[in-house]
RNA sequence: GGUUCGUUGGCCGAGUGGCUAGGCACCGGUCUGCAAAACCGAUUACGGCGGUUCGAAUCCGCCACGAACCUCCA
């Protein structure tokens, strides 16, 4: 059964049925990372959220072009005084080439994304590789009369734009209020109004990353790259633009203004924003210095972490909350997710070995439909997961011989689990130490077979000794009807 | 101050008018030589006060508390 996909559009502040601009094709743009530091849990959230959307859109039959940018220029570090961008600053400190810093962190970002089983986007454009497109974009805005040049820099004229269009429609602001509240801060600026924002910025002498433009030797403004690259790869109008909620204002608001000013029309149909990850109720973020990098999660090397958490645990943890809710981080919450995930994945492995009977005593019909329905309802992954846990119960009961399943139902259940767990939620089994080492596995089997013999002779002392010592080494031993199972 | 959003059981976290998601923890039971795992069962909820309604965690109003954005941020 087909369910219509509905997604929450920040522009209208409600769920809307998703209707693509072009039949069967979807264009989707997501704000990617600024590569001047290691990725943290906050970066994982949009990456995972829009990975789910990418996978789901593909699953329901769309051909999706997914663009996720790399920000490696612009984004001023401090207020107007320095005019130096983040990447340049870091590079000077480290005494390396700016692009070397970019490459280093891009590599690390890709590595982390791969570990989290996030599919690569269709196109991953760098802002630094699209300076010409950005200069053209600035020129279009100037030509349209919505920008002005001031001492080598170009600024967007928000007040003028707002006379014809609605600046603030995305974030619910109005320009008059903003001028009221910020007027006092507006000193001897090159800007006419405090609300105006830079499209092109003249580089200060010490600024390393600079490009030649009609107005000055400089660099593009903070928000321009997304407008320029989005339209370049997805067209003047495309379906979905995503990113974190913190980007709603000013970043996305400015994007709307830029694109509307340059092209004379709305570019994006659906704006989607994932919520923040909090830590003790407060946002986890770079500027707050309370973030935990992904690498620290994977190694457990952070004061707030009681242990290491695998990439799949992190992914599962994030998927257990709806993307529009904040999710509060704690080591205890991660531990709970780890156990839940492990139970789910064991059940999934168990499902593959289940024996079919003539008839089913468990009810598994409708699972696919319910899961599809939850996914199509604004990507409600927590509900999908809850249904999978319901089905897990049936799997375990059949495994224990307390219930039966027909081969048709078994086949369907396998297909549904495979589809949702692997293809859509993107969860995969994580084989830890020892995978692939046959000799090692056989040695453990040998020990456990000796224990089995001891058990048959009712030599509990020997049998418990083997089990206890293996347990102490980190193995988990389970006795089964006709033998044993183990894992580490 | 402005804008937006939130407050659910021991913890995490779904749910938008009636049918009390799910996970983790805890307790009791089944199974087991004992465990582990699995299964069965029990318990604990909707910030406060009013209103609408036959009926509200869910709609409306007020209050309290918290968060995000208004400056780079996922």
């Amino acid at each position: 059964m087909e369910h219509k996909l509905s997604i929450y559009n920040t522009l209208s502040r409600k769920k809307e049925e998703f209707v693509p601009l072009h039949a069967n094709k979807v264009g989707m743009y997501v704000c990617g990372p600024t590569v001047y530091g290691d990725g943290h849990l906050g970066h994982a959230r949009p990456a995972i959220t829009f990975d789910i959307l990418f996978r789901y859109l593909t699953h329901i039959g769309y051909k999706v072009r997914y663009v996720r940018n790399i920000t490696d220029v612009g984004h001023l570090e401090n207020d107007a005084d320095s005019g130096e961008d983040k990447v340049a600053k870091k590079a000077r400190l480290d005494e390396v080439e700016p692009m070397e810093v970019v490459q280093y962190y891009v590599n690390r970002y890709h590595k982390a994304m791969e570990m989290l089983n996030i599919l690569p986007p269709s196109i991953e454009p760098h802002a630094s590789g699209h300076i010409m497109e950005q200069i053209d974009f600035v020129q279009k805005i100037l030509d349209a009369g919505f920008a002005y040049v001031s001492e080598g820099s170009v600024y967007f004229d928000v007040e003028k734009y707002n006379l014809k269009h609605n600046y603030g429609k995305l974030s619910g602001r109005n320009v008059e209020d903003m001028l009221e509240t910020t007027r006092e801060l507006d000193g001897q600026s090159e800007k006419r109004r405090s609300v105006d924002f830079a499209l092109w910025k003249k580089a200060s002498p010490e600024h390393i990353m600079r490009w030649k433009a009609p107005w000055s030797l400089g660099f593009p403004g903070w928000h321009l790259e997304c407008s320029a690259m989005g339209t370049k790869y997805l067209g003047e109008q495309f379906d979905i633009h995503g990113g974190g909620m913190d980007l709603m204002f000013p970043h996305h608001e400015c994007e709307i203004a830029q694109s509307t000013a340059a092209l004379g029309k709305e570019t994006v149909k659906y704006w989607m924003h994932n919520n923040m990850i909090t830590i003790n109720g407060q946002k986890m973020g770079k500027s707050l210095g309370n973030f935990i990098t992904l690498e620290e999660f994977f190694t457990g090397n952070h004061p707030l972490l009681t242990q290491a958490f695998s990439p799949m645990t992190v992914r599962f943890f994030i998927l257990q909350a709806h993307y529009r809710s904040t999710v509060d981080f704690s080591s205890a919450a991660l531990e709970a997710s780890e156990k839940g995930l492990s139970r789910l994945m064991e059940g999934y492995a168990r499902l593959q070995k289940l024996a079919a009977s003539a008839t089913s005593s468990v009810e598994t019909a409708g699972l696919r439909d319910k899961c599809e329905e939850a996914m199509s309802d604004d990507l409600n992954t927590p509900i999908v997961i809850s249904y999978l846990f319901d089905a897990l119960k049936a799997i375990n009961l059949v495994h224990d011989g307390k219930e039966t399943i027909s081969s048709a139902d078994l086949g369907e259940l396998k297909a549904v689990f495979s589809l949702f767990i692997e293809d859509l939620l993107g969860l995969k089994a994580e084989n830890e130490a020892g995978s692939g080492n046959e000799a090692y596995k056989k040695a453990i089997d040998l020990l456990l077979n000796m224990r089995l013999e001891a058990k048959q002779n009712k030599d509990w002392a020997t049998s418990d000794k083997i089990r206890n010592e293996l347990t102490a080494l980190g193995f988990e031993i389970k006795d089964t009807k006709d033998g044993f199972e183990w894992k580490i």
Side-chain angles (χ1 to χ4, degrees):
Chain A
M1 187 188 288
E2 277 296 306
H3 293 280
K4 286 180 175 166
L5 173 62
S6 72
I7 56 180
Y8 183 89
N9 189 348
T10 308
L11 266 179
S12 63
R13 300 194 186 280
K14 51 180 192 251
K15 284 184 205 171
E16 295 177 12
E17 184 187 334
F18 176 75
V19 182
L21 292 163
H22 311 282
N24 303 322
K25 293 197 179 84
V26 176
M28 166 172 153
Y29 187 97
V30 175
C31 291
T34 304
V35 282
Y36 70 110
D38 267 337
H40 57 76
L41 192 58
H43 289 105
R45 190 142 198 218
I48 289 170
T49 298
F50 295 104
D51 184 49
I52 297 291
L53 181 59
F54 183 33
R55 288 167 183 263
Y56 191 65
L57 287 169
T58 305
H59 162 68
I60 58 180
Y62 292 112
K63 187 174 188 309
V64 185
R65 181 179 292 163
Y66 174 20
V67 179
R68 189 184 64 204
N69 65 299
I70 295 286
T71 297
D72 56 356
V73 294
H75 289 255
L76 298 173
E77 173 90 299
N78 292 312
D79 333 358
D81 57 1
S82 77
E84 181 178 34
D85 85 31
K86 282 175 185 171
V87 173
K89 180 156 192 177
K90 181 89 181 176
R92 272 220 322 249
L93 292 173
D94 289 353
E95 295 183 339
V96 290
E97 276 296 319
M99 287 313 285
E100 193 177 350
V101 175
V102 167
Q103 191 67 56
Y104 175 79
Y105 286 116
V106 166
N107 290 345
R108 289 171 68 83
Y109 179 74
H110 283 162
K111 177 80 179 157
M113 293 301 111
E114 194 184 322
M115 288 174 84
L116 288 166
N117 204 22
I118 288 162
L119 298 174
S122 322
I123 301 176
E124 191 172 51
H126 284 234
S128 63
H130 296 76
I131 300 298
M132 279 168 58
E133 287 82 353
Q134 295 181 74
I135 290 172
D136 286 348
F137 215 94
V138 174
Q139 192 58 56
K140 275 188 192 154
I141 298 172
L142 276 168
D143 293 346
F146 291 111
Y148 56 90
V149 180
S150 173
E151 303 189 28
S153 293
V154 185
Y155 292 96
F156 191 91
D157 191 336
V158 171
E159 211 171 24
K160 185 169 180 193
Y161 171 83
N162 194 51
L163 291 175
K164 270 190 82 174
H165 306 280
N166 179 4
Y167 182 82
K169 62 193 288 187
L170 183 69
S171 57
R173 275 153 234 263
N174 78 67
V175 174
E176 289 76 24
D177 283 354
M178 292 168 64
L179 285 169
E180 287 286 320
T181 52
T182 54
R183 188 160 286 159
E184 291 171 25
L185 303 171
D186 196 12
Q188 303 290 325
S189 174
E190 311 170 342
K191 293 195 282 187
R192 289 181 192 164
R193 301 277 180 210
S194 56
V195 289
D196 294 350
F197 55 91
L199 297 174
W200 185 264
K201 197 90 173 126
K202 183 179 175 181
S204 50
E206 67 274 15
H207 196 98
I208 302 171
M209 292 183 105
R210 52 174 68 185
W211 292 268
K212 199 169 153 190
W215 316 285
S216 65
L217 211 53
F219 52 96
W222 320 346
H223 315 295
L224 201 61
E225 61 183 74
C226 294
S227 291
M229 299 192 294
T231 47
K232 167 156 182 169
Y233 295 112
L234 298 172
E236 294 192 352
Q237 292 187 299
F238 58 89
D239 300 290
I240 298 170
H241 189 129
M245 262 187 183
D246 49 345
L247 297 178
M248 222 159 88
F249 189 90
H251 187 59
H252 291 158
E253 199 72 70
C254 294
E255 268 189 68
I256 290 177
Q258 287 167 167
S259 297
T260 307
L263 308 169
K265 59 193 168 197
E266 281 283 315
T267 294
V268 176
K269 190 167 178 193
Y270 303 93
W271 281 91
M272 294 178 73
H273 293 93
N274 62 272
N275 215 316
M276 304 288 101
I277 295 210
T278 60
I279 178 163
N280 296 323
Q282 204 188 21
K283 178 179 145 180
M284 177 183 283
K286 205 165 282 175
S287 57
L288 296 163
N290 65 347
F291 63 93
I292 305 174
T293 68
L294 290 167
E295 187 172 307
E296 284 164 347
F297 269 99
F298 304 158
T299 60
N301 183 25
H302 190 283
L304 285 170
L305 299 174
T306 52
Q307 59 169 88
F309 293 101
S310 72
M312 282 305 111
T313 299
V314 171
R315 185 174 176 109
F316 189 66
F317 172 67
I318 287 174
L319 292 177
Q320 272 188 300
H322 188 261
Y323 78 91
R324 282 192 289 114
S325 299
T326 56
V327 55
D328 197 55
F329 158 84
S330 72
S331 223
L334 261 296
E335 281 169 43
S337 287
E338 181 181 56
K339 285 180 191 159
L341 174 63
S342 151
R343 203 157 76 81
L344 183 64
M345 296 311 279
E346 272 173 49
Y348 180 41
R350 201 168 277 161
L351 172 63
Q352 307 310 319
K353 299 181 227 155
L354 239 43
S357 305
T359 58
S360 290
S361 63
V362 288
E363 182 59 56
T364 56
L367 179 66
R368 179 192 293 267
D369 194 47
K370 286 197 296 185
C371 290
E372 291 270 4
E373 189 182 357
M375 280 301 279
S376 63
D377 181 16
D378 198 27
L379 307 178
N380 202 330
T381 54
I383 293 291
V384 172
I385 290 170
S386 81
Y387 290 146
L388 294 176
F389 273 107
D390 289 340
L392 177 65
K393 207 168 258 189
I395 291 170
N396 283 326
L397 283 167
V398 173
H399 175 75
D400 284 0
K402 291 171 182 163
E403 301 280 358
T404 60
I405 190 165
S406 70
S407 78
D409 285 349
L410 181 59
E412 168 69 0
L413 194 56
K414 281 182 183 173
V416 172
F417 261 60
S418 164
L419 172 65
F420 281 91
I421 290 184
E422 295 195 66
D423 299 346
L424 296 178
L425 297 180
L427 300 169
K428 62 180 182 187
E430 293 175 302
N431 293 323
E432 292 173 35
S435 64
N437 189 333
E438 281 305 309
Y440 155 84
K441 284 181 186 168
K442 282 185 176 155
I444 303 298
D445 284 347
L446 177 66
L447 270 172
L448 288 174
N449 273 313
M450 287 170 70
R451 173 166 175 269
L452 203 56
E453 277 178 42
K455 274 176 66 180
Q456 277 153 5
N457 297 329
K458 299 205 185 297
D459 178 2
W460 310 127
T462 304
S463 124
D464 286 354
K465 181 175 162 67
I466 293 173
R467 184 179 64 198
N468 292 342
E469 299 207 354
L470 283 175
T471 302
L473 291 171
F475 290 89
E476 195 177 293
I477 313 298
K478 288 181 217 170
D479 289 349
T480 59
K481 256 178 274 175
D482 39 323
F484 53 80
E485 286 174 4
W486 65 272
K487 65 173 183 175
I488 186 160

